[in-house]
Amino acid sequence: MKKICNCNIPKNLQEDMMAESIAAYVAGIPIEEVVEDDVYEKRLERCSTCDALVGGLTCSHCGCFVLARAKKKRMDCPRPGGSLWR
Ligand code: SF4
């Protein structure tokens, strides 16, 4: 994975910090706004094989962290040709 930014923080620490931040954000999404675990896993499975996934983290079509976007009920896959989540 590429460094997240060009500061002097080592790449592995940047990745750890980013993973923690995303996990904290996802954990903070209100329960009524999140999809069921099986739906979340299916969405992330699709993202993991999608050519729009950048650096294993973000979707090139919307710039979102897929771990966060896929967790939200109101979100869909933004692929221009049609959602890959359905
Ligand atoms: S286009 Fe859809 S499936 Fe592909 S990375 Fe973005 S959200 Fe995931």
Side-chain angles (χ1 to χ4, degrees), residues 34-76:
V34 304
V35 293
E36 298 295 322
D37 288 348
D38 61 327
V39 173
Y40 188 48
E41 284 167 21
K42 270 187 195 148
R43 287 179 170 188
L44 292 179
E45 199 177 293
R46 301 266 162 78
C47 291
S48 71
T49 58
C50 178
D51 58 8
L53 186 66
V54 179
L57 283 177
T58 58
C59 173
S60 65
H61 294 300
C62 59
C64 293
F65 291 112
V66 294
L67 288 169
R69 188 179 182 96
K71 192 76 174 172
K72 297 177 181 175
K73 272 184 195 166
R74 66 184 171 84
M75 292 295 188
D76 200 352

Side-chain angles (χ1 to χ4, degrees), residues 1-24 54-57 65 67:
M1 183 185 294
K2 283 175 46 179
K3 276 179 80 170
I4 293 160
C5 80
N6 290 324
C7 66
N8 291 327
I9 299 173
K11 177 178 173 255
N12 63 325
L13 286 183
Q14 285 188 24
E15 288 170 1
D16 288 349
M17 291 161 68
M18 183 61 71
E20 281 177 26
S21 297
I22 295 170
V54 179
L57 283 177
F65 291 112
L67 288 169

